[in-house]
Amino acid sequence: MQIYQHDSKTYWDGYCWVSTLHWLPCKGTTSWVYNISTYFSENLTYTVKSRATDISGNVETPSDGITFVIDKKPPSSYILFPLYGKTYSNIEKIYGQ
């Protein structure tokens, strides 16, 4: 497995973020899990890739992986219409953003 941080152009080596390409060992035959010992920083872009090696030593060519961003900021919304404190005789729609 490989974890790449786009913003710093670094790879997770199991201990720290480094500038050289690094593959992390995972064990399993039908599925695998990697317990990461770092945290993902907010608002940074990451790509995670996996590749398999069979018992004969053949190595899979990995796909493009999965790219994601950590977003801890809560969403916001508000009402545009009707206006606060106004009096209306009829409202057909309520608008917001």
Side-chain angles (χ1 to χ4, degrees), residues 57-94:
N58 299 310
V59 179
E60 168 192 23
T61 300
S63 69
D64 292 337
I66 302 297
T67 299
F68 61 94
V69 175
I70 299 297
D71 176 9
K72 296 180 182 179
K73 183 180 174 184
S76 64
S77 66
Y78 54 92
I79 299 168
L80 296 171
F81 183 83
L83 299 176
Y84 180 78
K86 297 286 183 176
T87 302
Y88 299 93
S89 61
N90 188 22
I91 294 178
E92 293 182 20
K93 294 182 180 180
I94 298 174

Side-chain angles (χ1 to χ4, degrees), residues 1-3 12-17 22-27 31-38 40 48-49:
M1 185 193 69
Q2 178 189 91
I3 305 171
W12 181 247
D13 73 354
Y15 302 100
C16 61
W17 295 98
H22 193 85
W23 287 95
L24 301 162
C26 300
K27 291 185 180 182
S31 65
W32 54 270
V33 173
Y34 179 79
N35 294 319
I36 189 162
S37 58
T38 188
F40 290 105
V48 176
K49 294 182 181 182

